[in-house]
Amino acid sequence: MKKITVIGAGTMGNGIAHTFAQKGFAVTLVDISEAALERGMNTIATNLDRMVAKGSISEADKTETLSHLQPSTDLKAAAETSDLIVEAATENLDLKLKIFRQLSEFASENCILATNTSSISITQIAAVVSNPERVIGMHFMNPVPLMKLVEIINGYNTSAATTQTIMSLSEQLGKTPVEVNDYPGFVANRILMPMINESIETLYNGVAGVSEIDTVMKLGMAHPMGPLQLADFIGLDVCLAILHVMYDGFKNPKYAPCPLLVNMVRAGKLGVKSGEGFYNYAASKKAEVVADQFKK
């Protein structure tokens, strides 16, 4: 494993690319948008600057990390020479299937194809790929450079060799890989999203306010961040998409998204990324602190 391609220059994609590059891998960050690539590369540089300022890395480390990164809009050229491709595009099944059909055509048969999906079936994605035994889930947590967990999700056809390779590779990145099987939401979101959804239901039913709900969970349950704050950080649209995947997959009403969540997404109140969710990130100093604590 020497050459890595990461597809998608958004929050997860640039974080994954940053992490691989910091460990010395040659990384091509691919996106269809030049503007998205520029934003992604700028984000990586800014995060590295923050690490230098904190003394976590040296200026030389920053320069070396950036030297391992190459932005590109040419998926075919990047895929043809890659040992591993990590897809980190938007959490949309049709989009992911389109990308993996292209990867099946462009990448060598020995290239491992991983997806950073947080809920979509690995087996379903692998079904559009030749040699589906090389397809696996590699679910990083946000912010990727800091969070230790990687959920390694086996599809129905994922080979033991593929799993072992990705488990070992995750350890090389300084992560703790946890092997799980392919069911909607896997482990992390199967447990987390119902909690977030129930927190929204609690607000929706007038049991308590936003800060009160979050304070109970932070002080009473020792959570570092309240569930409504966390939902804002994840993105309310992402939370809604994951809940839809689980509801469709299990047909269990406990996964049905709260109407308040649905309406907030319809209104464009998506959390940190839109400037407003359960907190107002444009006006509230408290909200600004919440958003910033995950950048440390």
Side-chain angles (χ1 to χ4, degrees):
M1 286 287 165
K2 295 184 182 296
K3 300 190 71 175
I4 313 296
T5 290
V6 178
I7 302 172
T11 300
M12 295 305 295
N14 71 60
I16 295 167
H18 172 164
T19 300
F20 273 104
Q22 195 171 339
K23 292 297 182 179
F25 293 90
V27 181
T28 302
L29 180 60
V30 175
D31 202 290
I32 59 172
S33 165
E34 291 277 8
L37 282 171
E38 184 176 356
R39 286 193 300 271
M41 293 296 291
N42 287 340
T43 297
I44 293 171
T46 299
N47 289 336
L48 288 168
D49 283 336
R50 186 178 292 112
M51 296 172 77
V52 171
K54 290 169 56 182
S56 302
I57 62 172
S58 67
E59 189 68 37
D61 292 331
K62 172 196 167 182
T63 301
E64 184 177 358
T65 297
L66 291 174
S67 74
H68 295 312
L69 285 160
Q70 176 65 47
S72 176
T73 56
D74 190 341
L75 176 59
K76 183 175 186 294
E80 285 175 342
T81 59
S82 293
D83 300 309
L84 168 68
I85 301 173
V86 183
E87 171 273 317
T90 304
E91 192 74 348
N92 176 283
L93 176 61
D94 290 339
L95 175 60
K96 290 185 187 296
L97 293 179
K98 177 182 177 181
I99 290 170
F100 273 82
R101 287 189 185 98
Q102 291 176 312
L103 295 181
S104 183
E105 178 184 349
F106 299 155
S108 74
E109 291 189 356
N110 295 323
C111 178
I112 293 178
L113 308 179
T115 173
N116 184 58
T117 181
S118 54
S119 60
I120 295 171
S121 169
I122 309 303
T123 303
Q124 188 172 8
I125 291 172
V128 302
V129 174
S130 62
N131 301 346
E133 63 273 10
R134 61 184 169 144
V135 179
I136 195 165
M138 202 175 186
H139 180 207
F140 290 86
M141 304 294 125
N142 189 22
V144 180
L146 299 182
M147 298 291 277
K148 292 293 187 182
L149 175 66
V150 184
E151 268 190 311
I152 307 299
I153 307 106
N154 293 316
Y156 186 82
N157 290 307
T158 303
S159 70
T162 296
T163 303
Q164 186 54 54
T165 298
I166 296 303
M167 293 284 284
S168 298
L169 180 64
S170 299
E171 291 173 351
Q172 290 179 48
L173 295 176
K175 305 300 185 185
T176 301
V178 176
E179 184 180 351
V180 305
N181 291 319
D182 186 20
Y183 292 92
F186 316 132
V187 171
N189 282 315
R190 183 169 180 170
I191 294 170
L192 174 63
M193 286 302 153
M195 183 190 74
I196 286 176
N197 198 44
E198 192 62 31
S199 301
I200 299 171
E201 286 278 2
T202 302
L203 175 66
Y204 183 58
N205 292 329
V207 179
V210 171
S211 63
E212 288 79 10
I213 292 168
D214 281 347
T215 298
V216 167
M217 297 304 291
K218 286 189 286 186
L219 299 185
M221 314 304 166
H223 290 194
M225 176 177 259
L228 300 177
Q229 296 169 344
L230 180 57
D232 274 354
F233 182 74
I234 294 169
L236 302 191
D237 54 336
V238 175
C239 293
L240 181 60
I242 295 170
L243 284 165
H244 278 314
V245 168
M246 293 198 296
Y247 182 68
D248 290 343
F250 291 116
K251 300 297 187 292
N252 189 322
K254 75 177 181 178
Y255 299 114
C258 176
L260 176 58
L261 175 62
V262 174
N263 280 338
M264 289 180 72
V265 172
R266 285 173 176 166
K269 299 183 186 300
L270 308 180
V272 174
K273 67 174 122 183
S274 69
E276 184 177 355
F278 293 106
Y279 294 87
N280 187 333
Y281 296 87
S284 168
K285 290 183 179 179
K286 178 178 180 182
E288 289 170 359
V289 170
V290 168
D292 191 57
Q293 70 176 323
F294 276 82
K295 299 176 184 176
K296 296 178 182 177

